[in-house]
Amino acid sequence: MQRKAVNFELWGVVIATFILLVVLPGLNAFTPEGSVLHVSNFAINLYGKYLCYGIVAISVDLLWGYTGLLCLGQCLFFALGGYMMGMYLMRMIGDLGQYHQPIPDFLVFLGWSKLPWFWRPFSNFPFAAMMVTLLPGVVALVFGFLAFRSRIRGVYFSILTQALTYAGSLLFFRNDLLMGGNNGFTDFKFLCGFDLRQPATQRGLYICTVLLLLGTYLLCKWLTATKFGKVQRAIRDSENRVLFSGYATAHFKLFVFVLAAIIAGLAGALYVPQVGIINPSEMTPDKSLEAVVWVAVGGRGTLVGPVIGAVAVNAMKSWATRAYPDLWLLFLGMTFILVTLFMPKGIVGLPKQIMALKKKFLSPKAVSSENVEPVPAPEIEKMPEPSNDTAAKT
Amino acid sequence: MTPLQKPEFILLLEKVNKSFEGFKAISDLTFYMDAGELRVIIGPNGAGKSSMLDLITGRTKPDSGKIEFGKDTDLTRLNEPEINQLGIGRKFQTPSVYVDHTVFENVWLALEGSRSVWATLFSRVTPARRERIYEVLKIVALDGKADDKAGSLSHGQKQWLEIGMLLAQNPKLLLVDEPAAGMTDEETHKTGELLLSLEGKHSIVVIEHDMAFVRQIARKVTVLHQGSVLCEGTVDDVQNNERVKEVYLGRKKKN
């Protein structure tokens, strides 16, 4: 049974990778616009965004589904990664901004004529790329160290992570942080010399996103199969047992927390050039809650589920926010409630659930036909029939 | 209690006190245990039995007093994983196994070896380890269920699995909290035999309520009452002790 399921997952991943990595970008690049097979630039851009969310969802699941740490602030790390990339992109605008100054427009607006010190290294792409992983990682390390050392668990941990991301959003809303305040960063032009307004650049970013998603999946697949992964799930199911078996659970949780933060940060860094904007609203607690819903919808404790959930919920969001803009949050809330009540294993667990239901509906009939009917019936009806049959045959 | 005797003790508690918000859970508790001994601790609810285990295993810290393991290892300065790695294993009152892992994996995680993050990332099940795991599973009669999820085991089997997980670590001292709780008479008896078979190889502290079970396994019984030792002796000594009858047996529904 289990081996079958693994193969199923393997083939699913191979086929999905082929479609996402080869078919879609190929159809975008090599078919003429207006052709039935053509995948529009808009669609590629949209899918790239969904897949970034998918990566975040995996990181949430690594914490929640595998380690039992419900993090309600994962989008803080996503946004921090995005901001680090955003700083680089802002520098690459050069003097093409509204004010035609060599520093970003919002700094000119705030009365700056020179670049603040911490902005300077961000003209360098390798430095920015390093900061994309470093900043979320360090924030997670410090917060996680304090939280796990103090044995903060369960709902208290969840609330604290939510408070952390809220504090982050309040901080980034401030203009004097010199990170763009309310408006954040936007109007990007170039990334490593490539023009971001070119479809080919967006396609390249999309392909990078698919590769990052695949890499994240494979890394987590390996990680969860190691003894480390077993300890992770053991912590989820019985942390005291793990602690009294000699494992310093705080170290394990810290490792997972930092890793998840780095993954989310990388996703954020790819998200920003594709969406073209980053602002503090990405850090508000509701974004992180949405990420939790993606995981719940797709299937907690699996690696494929969160990605499916992220894509499905965001596709629904794209549709609902256009068709019924006011009702979207109601849709989201309803989805979460319904999934929690009726689909505890999410979309991924649905086939098994249906099979179980089938069995349940089929077996009572079998039971009733054996237990209720046969007692009076067979002697009167069935007894003569066989004899007739055998008589006819012979 | 002469200085000469001291190195013989595997566990030593002297004048230990612990209160929780005014409630004195442990008061002036003094307790010695020899290496290789199987000791049963009984006492009415709230006598401080589990609190005592919490103090030994580092879950809580004493307000005052001395807790030492073997030759002068001060347990009050260490945390749970560190104390565990000294060779003290604890079985909880309610069975705590990893329900999502197989029986084999449960024991694998408990097996002796490095507990660092790095080590677990690259740890493999070597043939020697596999053999050792099956050896442990045989002791607790679960070798036929190695590939079953631990969550699918019966209550009694989960209790045994947890004892097996303790054994996999090859601990010097085993602390077993109510191993027979919720077991059938037959399972209880088997558990008793299992613990008796470990006597001598490990030092064992068993906390128990079931007097038939205590009678089966006990050599020496310690009765706790209001956080300190009321009396110590054989089962008969203890059951005939007037004060014990008063505080414990008399109050318990022994018909």
Side-chain angles (χ1 to χ4, degrees), chain A residues 62 66-67 216-233 255-256 259-260 263 303, chain B residues 117 120-121:
Chain A
L62 199 59
Y66 283 90
T67 326
T216 305
Y217 169 81
L218 291 175
L219 176 74
C220 294
K221 193 82 195 160
W222 168 76
L223 186 72
T224 51
T226 61
K227 191 174 182 182
F228 179 92
K230 309 269 182 218
V231 176
Q232 243 185 308
R233 269 165 287 162
F255 183 91
V256 180
L259 178 68
I263 291 171
L303 291 174
Chain B
V117 170
T120 56
L121 281 174

Side-chain angles (χ1 to χ4, degrees), chain A residues 48-227:
Chain A
K49 191 174 120 182
Y50 288 173
L51 295 181
C52 284
Y53 289 144
I55 299 166
V56 178
I58 290 185
S59 79
V60 170
D61 193 35
L62 199 59
L63 290 168
W64 185 31
Y66 283 90
T67 326
L69 295 166
L70 175 55
C71 177
L72 297 181
Q74 199 61 11
C75 282
L76 171 68
F77 305 117
F78 177 76
L80 287 178
Y83 263 104
M84 293 301 99
M85 178 59 98
M87 285 173 88
Y88 166 78
L89 294 172
M90 288 303 271
R91 293 297 297 128
M92 289 302 106
I93 296 172
D95 56 6
L96 296 174
Q98 299 292 320
Y99 295 109
H100 298 288
Q101 297 285 319
I103 61 172
D105 280 351
F106 77 91
L107 286 173
V108 180
F109 186 75
L110 289 173
W112 285 71
S113 54
K114 271 174 70 183
L115 209 57
W117 63 270
F118 64 90
W119 269 86
R120 273 177 213 148
F122 280 91
S123 326
N124 182 318
F125 181 75
F127 178 82
M130 186 189 74
M131 287 304 287
V132 161
T133 55
L134 207 60
L135 186 66
V138 168
V139 171
L141 187 72
V142 172
F143 176 82
F145 175 79
L146 295 172
F148 298 136
R149 196 191 54 167
S150 315
R151 302 262 168 102
I152 289 165
R153 291 182 190 178
V155 70
Y156 300 101
F157 176 79
S158 302
I159 291 170
L160 268 186
T161 53
Q162 190 165 30
L164 180 73
T165 194
Y166 187 57
S169 72
L170 291 181
L171 181 69
F172 275 76
F173 267 124
R174 295 172 63 92
N175 278 326
D176 49 13
L177 188 70
L178 303 178
M179 292 292 280
N182 200 7
N183 299 316
F185 305 148
T186 186
D187 205 18
F188 308 129
K189 305 251 184 315
F190 298 100
L191 171 67
C192 296
F194 295 104
D195 189 341
L196 284 171
R197 288 151 298 187
Q198 288 296 320
T201 311
Q202 288 298 330
R203 196 160 53 236
L205 283 168
Y206 164 84
I207 289 171
C208 288
T209 310
V210 178
L211 289 175
L212 178 66
L213 176 61
L214 186 66
T216 305
Y217 169 81
L218 291 175
L219 176 74
C220 294
K221 193 82 195 160
W222 168 76
L223 186 72
T224 51
T226 61
K227 191 174 182 182

Side-chain angles (χ1 to χ4, degrees), chain B residues 176-202:
Chain B
V176 190
D177 201 347
E178 296 196 26
M183 282 189 176
T184 62
D185 287 350
E186 198 197 330
E187 286 173 328
T188 304
H189 188 74
K190 267 192 185 169
T191 308
E193 284 177 348
L194 173 62
L195 290 173
L196 284 172
S197 75
L198 300 173
E199 194 187 3
K201 289 180 228 161
H202 311 269

